Amino acid sequence: MRSSQLFGKTSKTEGRDYKVSSHRLLIQAGFIRESTAGRYYLLPLGLKVHDRIIKIVRRHMDAAGAQELVMPVLHPLDLWKETNRTTTTGFELMKIEDRRGAEFALGGTAEEMAVDLVRKFNISYKDLPFNIYQFSMKFRDEMRARGGLLRVREFVMKDAYSFSTEGQFKEIYQQMRDAYTAIFEELGLKTDIVAADNGYIGGEYCHEFVAESQEGESRYFIDEKSGYGAHEDVAVFHIDEKNTDEPLKPLEEVEAVRGKTMEEGVKLHNLPLWQQTKDVLFFDEATKRYILAVIRGDFDVNETKLMQVADAWDLRAATDQEVIEDLVSMPGFISPVKMVKKGKKSGYPVVIVADKSLRTVHNMYGGANKKHQDLLNITIDRDYQPDIEADIALAQPGMKSPEGGELLEKRGIEVGNIFQLGYHYSNLMHDAEYTDDQGRRQKYYMGCYGIGIGRTLAAIVEAHHDDKGIVWPENIAPYKVCLVRLGDTIGNTKGVVSAADDLYNRLTEAGVSVLYDDRDARPGEKFADADLLGIPYRIVVSEKTVQAGKHELKKRIEADHQSLGAEEIIKALRA
RNA sequence: CGGAGUGUGGCGCAGUUGGUAGCGCGCAGCGUUCGGGACGCUGAGGUCGGCGGUUCAAGUCCGCCCACUCCGACCA
């Protein structure tokens, strides 16, 4: 490809103050261009890289036995209604109508479509297991696009859906896990595999592949000793016993003139923070229930865990007014002890969710549902009965992992994930069944597996760039080598043009992908662009090199070049 | 969706108390240059986000929309 003919330009100035390097570099180097927020033109250079990533993903998916196909982008809305995903929160569906009023969702993920396709074939156990996948445009009505390609509203995703029996599933899940590990390794991305929340996708467990990066939006924990890794939302940790050897004392109500913070309680009673109860009141708009989360004072409530155990969908903090008027309590003094079980005015039920850390402390203290009154020696079961008891605690860096090591906090870009879906979709959708060897109808056991191609591309740039520009790993670079021709407009160096043209033709014939900078531009601009574009190798042909009969070959990441004859250069690059 | 902010040639910006729309980069032409983003001259390019209002007069003041950026709650 000749630079003079390449559509898309680099720019010297950085323009706006881009916060994310990959965002700035991809725009500056002419790989992408923004259309509207979160929607990008993929320019010829960008598409080349995108295609190379797809090729690698496809090769590994095929090797793992998955089969590629393509599904429609417009999904009949009725399918999404079957699984109630038109109403559950998560991403908002983009809806569209045709001229007859038929309703469609712009596909954001395709579990329903996959099930709908498979059930059309009325399969038997002999057909299982199988795994189908596609590369297709996904639409997400994201609240806020961010960081260039890191979070967008339209993107190509590789999404795979496996169908199997429950017994076969484990192996498929492991196969995908292995395939992903190999994919990201080949793409030059170091990823951590972390347990995560299934969210609106459904199912019981899933793992994210996270490329460590400061620009990432995922916060997660790793125990490097044991390899335990988990997203902040689901991370579990070892809870230490506190004073469980202390004898239980009778409940006592005392005057407590204090503010609303935990610290003020600690000061007033001169007791440790961990002995205090932390009572956080939420309201779930989806199910119209108050949810009181009770936890040990030195821990925080993990809302994702809370939502899961309480089966809540749309949690918000309760207002002071609700606390006072509806629940007859007092902000800062809320307590599960003698808590009303129903809103006085609203009639909405109150669900008490207790964290299991409450079992590690005796004689706790906290509010008494009255202004400036506290309770001492609160004891679970005796003084209050939780409706649900579970792990709802938020892990913090430095805590002990369940395997014993220390939890290390990291940030990263979620480039892929694998989900166990189990019977989630086949329970919700009719006829999602196969016939087993006894002739009985059985539900499909499913999994799904996604990789965001554009986000992966951006994550690679995040991991591979320097102050001069992008440094593409060789296997996904848009071109292997950039052939820079210098001094082309000087009348007395005509030999340069023919030497460069000749080398370009021979390299191309040898199967080496070349970006030939034949532009009528000054050397500085050409060098700067070659660096910015991140092409792994650079050849310089100039008056000097033509006279010497040896041109310069240099790697993008190295400072020094080699002087080699044309034949040697071709040999070196052909490999 | 909550908070903050910005909309003026392709990009980045300036525009005073309302009174002829400017600068830098980029682009086109000519000339001089040519190993790390040169310089001179000439030129093209703008319904000032949209609609409405105030005014003799609106980029500037008022109102309502729209779009975008950043920070938070969500995801490949």
Side-chain angles (χ1 to χ4, degrees), chain A residues 140 173 185 455:
Chain A
R140 300 274 169 96
Y173 196 76
E185 195 180 304
R455 183 182 278 184

Side-chain angles (χ1 to χ4, degrees), chain A residues 107-285:
Chain A
T109 172
E111 287 77 13
E112 288 86 351
M113 292 293 280
V115 170
D116 185 53
L117 170 65
V118 170
R119 70 185 171 187
K120 286 179 196 294
F121 287 92
N122 193 216
I123 58 173
S124 95
Y125 73 98
K126 293 179 193 164
D127 300 310
L128 299 178
F130 60 88
N131 192 183
I132 52 180
Y133 78 100
Q134 64 173 342
F135 293 93
S136 76
M137 197 59 82
K138 296 292 181 287
F139 299 83
R140 300 274 169 96
D141 196 1
E142 292 284 350
M143 292 300 182
R144 187 156 90 81
R146 193 195 148 263
L149 258 28
L150 285 183
R151 180 146 113 199
V152 296
R153 299 193 165 108
E154 275 186 45
F155 61 98
V156 172
M157 179 164 81
K158 186 281 303 174
D159 47 326
Y161 306 89
S162 71
F163 293 79
S164 66
T165 65
E166 187 165 354
Q168 292 165 334
F169 180 71
K170 239 184 156 162
E171 194 185 330
I172 301 174
Y173 196 76
Q174 185 62 41
Q175 261 178 354
M176 284 295 105
R177 189 180 165 125
D178 293 343
Y180 273 37
T181 303
I183 286 168
F184 292 118
E185 195 180 304
E186 188 166 339
L187 290 173
L189 270 184
K190 256 180 51 194
T191 51
D192 286 314
I193 303 174
V194 302
D197 180 51
N198 287 49
Y200 64 82
I201 301 274
E204 290 130 57
Y205 58 88
C206 71
H207 288 86
E208 293 181 353
F209 284 71
V210 186
E212 197 186 346
S213 159
Q214 277 315 300
E215 302 303 342
E217 299 179 274
S218 294
R219 205 193 311 272
Y220 62 101
F221 295 100
I222 294 287
D223 166 9
E224 286 181 336
K225 237 189 259 166
S226 67
Y228 172 79
H231 193 96
E232 178 183 49
D233 291 342
V234 300
V236 294
F237 56 92
H238 174 78
I239 301 171
D240 49 337
E241 292 277 321
K242 289 295 185 185
N243 60 342
T244 43
D245 48 352
E246 199 176 296
L248 295 175
K249 292 185 258 184
L251 188 70
E252 192 183 332
E253 187 170 325
V254 296
E255 193 189 31
V257 182
R258 59 168 175 85
K260 295 197 290 187
T261 65
M262 303 292 291
E263 290 72 34
E264 285 167 288
V266 169
K267 240 197 250 169
L268 181 75
H269 297 288
N270 196 24
L271 287 167
L273 179 64
W274 52 257
Q275 203 168 351
Q276 198 172 159
T277 62
K278 183 179 280 187
D279 309 279
V280 191
L281 189 66
F282 296 93
F283 185 76
D284 181 40
E285 291 286 358

